[in-house]
Amino acid sequence: MVLTVTFINLLLLYVGINAAVRKITSGDSRALTILTSAISLVVALSFVYYLMLVLNQSFVVLLIMLSAINLAHIFFTRHSFKNYRLKPLSNSHVWALAAAFFLTCYFMLYASKHGNWDAFAMWNLHAKFFYHPELWKHLFTSKLSYSALDYPMMLPSIVAFFWNAVGSMSPYVPLLFAYGVMLTIPLYTYFALRDEGLKWLSLVALVIFVTDNNFKQIATSQCADSLLSLLILMVFVQYEKLKGQINNRAYLLGFICASCAWVKNEGLVFYVLFTVGFILSNYKHLRALKKYLIGAIVPTLVLASFKLFFAPANDLISADNKQLFSLSVVLTDWSRYATIFKFWLSTLLSNYIYALILVFAAFVVNRRLFASMPAIIIALLLLGYFIIYLVTPHDLNWHLYTSLYRIIQHVYPALIYLILLDFKGPQTRQHLALLS
């Protein structure tokens, strides 16, 4: 019964969100709009579920609230529902279906039922606490300090939501959610590039994702890194579509960008960097800035309440981090720089060879790409990660070994999209013509 009511509510919510997304993303293909709507729905569910936890309400109360929202929406938009028809997708997306098939085969063969260690000890453990509205605050105890308790709650709250829907803590819920994110990243990239008329380059993107074992291994881990990379990709896609225009797409851009901070702490760094860059590059377009900031309000307030009232201090800024009290020593310890550089070089060569090839190609055909706002933001984000390693309170080699291959993944899909998109530019085409 609960599962049926949940499904009906999610379907109606999707219809409402899809209608809103279609209005503010006019010009996007139907397939891209469907993916954008689905991602927005899942993100919104995490905020609603967090509100339920904070108010100490049961899942039944949450369903009643969602039902009331849906009934109100149906009543006020009943005339539009009369003309609503489900339309089949174009049969021209055979390559997207082929990519989904190969990724599905990989997932079925290699995905672990319980994910990797971080999924078991962090993300799914947090979700188990959030599954019980009356017990979720017990998560934030010193006895579980190893479980990164300051990490935001998007992934655990989504898993807990669907656990409540099925009535048990089934391991197949986080497994299937990881599968959905794994498919959505290449498909979102593919349809975003096709929208720009880059048919062959969109196929290149699919080939990269399907053949990249590092991408697939991280995607099957059930950790939040792939989810963050999906939202960062979505931010840059929406930003590129917004450039040169002043429309309501800025609402969606602000909402998704701020939601990155609700996934991981690294997402908070990205949110700050992108917002500063967006303000500096659009300070003359006050309407666009206003819409962006309005869109970011809800995720920002949710994150602020979590950080201020529930989450403990991050280990990087806690009193236990002795590195912060000896910054002059840490910043002049050249052996730490050498260790980090070696790990970065080794990781890039072994795990991100496609990224290196694309960056080299972009350097050859259009170096101006590296002066663009997205490129600068990605560079600053990676620089921020580098600084975090310098001042980490953990063993440096352990920290690099267990996390570096994952955090570069945060910008990997976006990097593929941005570089392939750049081949559309007239300067790039002119340069390629000269080279040939």
Side-chain angles (χ1 to χ4, degrees):
M1 180 64 180
V2 172
L3 181 59
T4 302
V5 174
T6 303
F7 176 78
I8 293 173
N9 272 289
L10 292 183
L11 184 61
L12 293 173
L13 283 172
Y14 171 79
V15 171
I17 291 176
N18 181 256
V21 169
R22 287 204 312 271
K23 289 181 180 179
I24 66 178
T25 60
S26 177
D28 289 7
S29 65
R30 187 161 175 266
L32 190 66
T33 302
I34 289 173
L35 292 176
T36 301
S37 302
I39 296 168
S40 301
L41 171 61
V42 171
V43 171
L45 285 179
S46 71
F47 296 130
V48 173
Y49 192 84
Y50 172 74
L51 178 64
M52 182 199 82
L53 293 177
V54 171
L55 297 178
N56 294 317
Q57 299 300 315
S58 67
F59 189 70
V60 173
V61 174
L62 175 60
L63 288 182
I64 293 174
M65 183 185 73
L66 293 179
S67 300
I69 293 173
N70 282 320
L71 288 174
H73 177 254
I74 291 173
F75 177 78
F76 289 110
T77 61
R78 57 189 181 278
H79 300 295
S80 62
F81 273 87
K82 295 179 181 179
N83 300 321
Y84 188 82
R85 296 290 185 275
L86 288 175
K87 300 177 182 179
L89 286 174
S90 170
N91 58 5
S92 63
H93 300 315
V94 62
W95 296 113
L97 293 175
F101 171 77
F102 287 117
L103 290 172
T104 300
C105 291
Y106 179 92
F107 196 90
M108 293 176 66
L109 290 172
Y110 297 105
S112 170
K113 183 177 179 180
H114 298 284
N116 67 7
W117 169 252
D118 280 356
F120 178 80
M122 290 171 47
W123 303 108
N124 291 339
L125 176 62
H126 294 185
K128 290 177 181 178
F129 278 90
F130 300 157
Y131 176 67
H132 302 282
E134 70 279 6
L135 299 177
W136 73 283
K137 293 181 183 178
H138 292 278
L139 171 67
F140 308 105
T141 65
S142 57
K143 294 180 181 179
L144 293 174
S145 57
Y146 67 88
S147 190
L149 303 180
D150 65 297
Y151 269 24
M153 293 173 48
M154 181 180 289
L155 179 57
S157 61
I158 292 170
V159 172
F161 177 94
F162 287 102
W163 273 345
N164 274 277
V166 301
S168 68
M169 292 186 289
S170 170
Y172 293 105
V173 168
L175 182 67
L176 290 175
F177 184 76
Y179 169 69
V181 173
M182 179 185 186
L183 290 186
T184 305
I185 291 173
L187 293 181
Y188 203 88
T189 308
Y190 170 77
F191 288 118
L193 290 171
R194 279 187 68 94
D195 275 11
E196 302 298 330
L198 302 175
K199 179 180 178 181
W200 294 108
L201 291 178
S202 65
L203 294 180
V204 171
L206 285 182
V207 171
I208 289 175
F209 286 117
V210 169
T211 60
D212 190 331
N213 286 329
N214 183 66
F215 163 76
K216 291 182 288 188
Q217 289 170 6
I218 295 174
T220 59
S221 68
Q222 300 182 29
C223 294
D225 300 285
S226 290
L227 179 58
L228 178 58
S229 71
L230 172 60
L231 295 190
I232 290 178
L233 167 65
M234 189 174 173
V235 166
F236 283 119
V237 169
Q238 297 303 321
Y239 171 75
E240 290 295 330
K241 288 177 173 292
L242 179 67
K243 281 199 313 187
Q245 304 179 40
I246 301 177
N247 55 38
N248 292 334
R249 193 184 292 269
Y251 289 122
L252 177 64
L253 179 63
F255 177 74
I256 296 299
C257 186
S259 296
C260 291
W262 186 232
V263 183
K264 294 191 71 177
N265 289 332
E266 294 92 330
L268 175 58
V269 179
F270 172 78
Y271 171 41
V272 172
L273 290 174
F274 186 89
T275 300
V276 172
F278 189 80
I279 291 173
L280 292 177
S281 60
N282 292 275
Y283 65 92
K284 293 182 179 180
H285 305 116
L286 295 181
R287 287 175 57 195
L289 286 178
K290 179 181 177 181
K291 292 176 180 178
Y292 174 86
L293 295 175
I294 290 175
I297 287 176
V298 171
T300 303
L301 290 177
V302 167
L303 180 71
S305 67
F306 173 73
K307 290 291 188 180
L308 291 174
F309 301 113
F310 302 108
N314 182 266
D315 53 3
L316 290 174
I317 60 174
S318 68
D320 296 330
N321 187 0
K322 298 179 181 180
Q323 304 283 31
L324 291 179
F325 299 98
S326 55
L327 277 179
S328 60
V329 176
V330 173
L331 297 178
T332 56
D333 185 354
W334 305 116
S335 65
R336 294 179 70 86
Y337 287 88
T339 300
I340 297 171
F341 273 121
K342 288 179 182 178
F343 261 95
W344 275 70
L345 181 60
S346 174
T347 301
L348 289 173
L349 290 174
S350 60
N351 296 64
Y352 292 96
I353 191 66
Y354 285 137
L356 292 178
I357 293 173
L358 287 174
V359 169
F360 177 77
F363 183 79
V364 171
V365 301
N366 185 15
R367 300 178 186 177
R368 293 187 180 183
L369 170 66
F370 299 99
S372 65
M373 190 193 94
I376 292 173
I377 289 173
I378 290 176
L380 290 175
L381 183 64
L382 295 177
L383 177 62
Y385 292 168
F386 186 93
I387 294 173
I388 288 173
Y389 284 122
L390 279 178
V391 300
T392 178
H394 307 293
D395 176 77
L396 180 58
N397 286 283
W398 173 85
H399 200 175
L400 286 164
Y401 179 77
T402 57
S403 65
L404 183 58
Y405 75 99
R406 290 185 293 104
I407 65 171
I408 298 178
Q409 183 76 15
H410 298 166
V411 298
Y412 181 58
L415 191 67
I416 293 172
Y417 165 75
L418 290 168
I419 293 178
L420 293 179
L421 178 68
D422 184 63
F423 285 103
K424 179 186 178 182
Q427 295 172 340
T428 301
R429 291 198 299 268
Q430 182 181 10
H431 199 129
L432 286 173
L434 292 173
L435 290 175
S436 60

